[in-house]
Amino acid sequence: MPGTLVFLEHHDGEIVKNALGVLSKAADLGGDVSGVLAGSGVRDLAAQAGEHGASRVYVADDAKLEAPLPQPRVDVLAPLVESKGFDTVLFGQSVLAADLAAGLAARLDAGLNWDLTDIALEGARLVGKRPALADSVLVDVGWKSTPRLGLFRTGSFEPVAAGGSAEVEDIAVELREHSLGAVMLEQAHEERSGPSIEDADVIVAGGRGLGKPEGFGMLEDLAKALGGAVGATRAVVDAGWYPYPSQVGQTGKTVSPKLYVACGISGAIQHKVGMQASGTIVAINKDANAPIFEFCDLGVVGDVNEIVPKLTELVRARKG
Ligand SMILES: Cc1cc2nc3c(=O)[nH]c(=O)nc-3n(C[C@H](O)[C@H](O)[C@H](O)COP(=O)(O)OP(=O)(O)OC[C@H]3O[C@@H](n4cnc5c(N)ncnc54)[C@H](O)[C@@H]3O)c2cc1C
């Protein structure tokens, strides 16, 4: 029976949040939803996929799949999709997933819609939602044939652990010679304390209103007190005040924390599209007419340099 297959990207012994979010969304749409794990020593991760809506998890477990390289994974997914007749294959955006989805599209001569932020069943038709024109409009996109491949922006969906369990099926790993042509020489991880902005429940984000790069110090203090991460606008990233992985927005990351505290951020559309799905948005800006006050939940008109340190003190005092 045709169904949906979700690529379960994993790092450091865990399925990434983005892939679990896509899996939860696929399960929410209904129908038969499976996941595929490709790696070395990854079988135990199948249980996590079952909790998030997969009824079956295909496991390709092989030492040759240890490095997170796309081409060997094309060799795993292509025959799986063909032999089981999956009509939809979904991915959460990442460097690996984007390369894999493109390789799979080429191998299967399939249509790939990328940069999706949502998907819906309209009657019997599957319709992808994709921001366009500098994210100012959402367009419906479809597929002319199956399998339909879809790649979703980071943070499009929250993972939902509904508590199910998945049947596990091991699949053979037969890699083509050219797929082994690339080898991973080294993997480096950014040194970081606290959660990443993709995973954080709280994000304290800063913009040009901080006045100078050092202003991020007080945001880091507040983020630490709240157990959150620091985000930034493109204006300050371009100015070299804060590193690019923290950029939120159209050309940065899409995030959906429970709480987003925007400090000295005007609220340009290109920033808004990356954080508008946040649970509660608090804005601190000295200009009462700043656009961010049109879509925040709580607006504070004032100077970030005065308000943020006091807020940090209050949070610390409350936490004892
Ligand atoms: C194709 C394209 C893609 C883009 N992608 C992104 C993206 O991914 N992410 C992104 O963020 N932007 C993006 N931008 C840029 C975007 O248009 C804005 O220029 C940017 O978001 C503005 O950043 P900002 O809010 O830090 O700065 P500003 O717009 O300069 O706003 C600074 C704000 O700080 C306030 N302020 C000043 N001093 C204080 C103070 N002491 N206390 C409190 N408030 C103060 C001001 O009133 C002002 O509202 C993109 C633009 C384009 C054209």
Side-chain angles (χ1 to χ4, degrees), residues 75-102:
D75 292 347
V76 169
L77 266 71
L80 178 65
V81 172
E82 283 183 320
S83 64
K84 304 290 178 190
F86 286 108
D87 54 24
T88 308
V89 189
L90 304 179
F91 304 83
Q93 166 73 35
S94 73
V95 174
L96 174 64
D99 280 352
L100 167 56

Side-chain angles (χ1 to χ4, degrees), residues 119-232:
I119 194 163
L121 260 180
E122 295 181 1
R125 227 162 46 103
L126 196 61
V127 178
K129 310 284 175 181
R130 184 184 188 285
L133 300 177
D135 282 3
S136 57
V137 292
L138 260 191
V139 295
D140 286 356
V141 292
W143 292 262
K144 286 183 180 166
S145 60
T146 56
R148 299 174 283 239
L149 271 50
L151 183 72
F152 291 89
R153 273 193 194 179
T154 305
S156 294
F157 311 113
E158 264 308 296
V160 179
S165 66
E167 278 182 43
V168 178
E169 186 173 327
D170 291 304
I171 51 174
V173 177
E174 286 167 21
L175 305 184
R176 297 188 179 185
E177 202 183 325
H178 70 260
S179 300
L180 298 169
V183 289
M184 178 73 72
L185 295 179
E186 191 187 4
Q187 270 182 281
H189 292 281
E190 187 192 350
E191 294 283 336
R192 182 195 316 126
S193 61
S196 68
I197 61 168
E198 291 98 324
D199 296 330
D201 281 340
V202 178
I203 293 178
V204 180
R208 204 148 33 190
L210 294 177
K212 52 186 184 308
E214 291 73 24
F216 273 95
M218 66 183 176
L219 299 199
E220 284 167 356
D221 290 344
L222 178 57
K224 198 170 172 196
L226 291 166
V230 173

Side-chain angles (χ1 to χ4, degrees), residues 19-71:
L20 289 176
V22 173
L23 180 60
S24 300
K25 178 66 187 183
D28 191 45
L29 284 176
D32 190 36
V33 179
S34 301
V36 56
L37 279 166
S40 178
V42 291
R43 211 166 188 280
D44 288 351
L45 298 181
Q48 204 186 357
E51 285 166 14
H52 288 80
S55 58
R56 182 177 291 262
V57 175
Y58 296 94
V59 179
D61 205 319
D62 193 298
K64 289 198 281 295
L65 294 171
E66 183 159 10
L69 292 169
Q71 198 57 42

Side-chain angles (χ1 to χ4, degrees), residues 11-12 14-18 154-155 158 189-204 223-224 226-232 242-248 253-260:
H11 290 291
D12 302 327
E14 276 186 45
I15 300 176
V16 297
K17 183 179 171 192
N18 202 18
T154 305
E158 264 308 296
H189 292 281
E190 187 192 350
E191 294 283 336
R192 182 195 316 126
S193 61
S196 68
I197 61 168
E198 291 98 324
D199 296 330
D201 281 340
V202 178
I203 293 178
V204 180
K224 198 170 172 196
L226 291 166
V230 173
Y242 220 64
Y244 173 69
S246 307
Q247 184 181 316
V248 174
K253 290 184 178 138
T254 303
V255 294
S256 50
K258 290 182 182 148
L259 173 65
Y260 191 91

Side-chain angles (χ1 to χ4, degrees), residues 207-208 233-234 247-251 264 266 270-271 285 303-304:
R208 204 148 33 190
T233 64
R234 176 165 163 177
Q247 184 181 316
V248 174
Q250 183 192 331
T251 42
S266 59
Q270 295 90 353
H271 187 76
N285 195 305
D303 187 337
V304 280

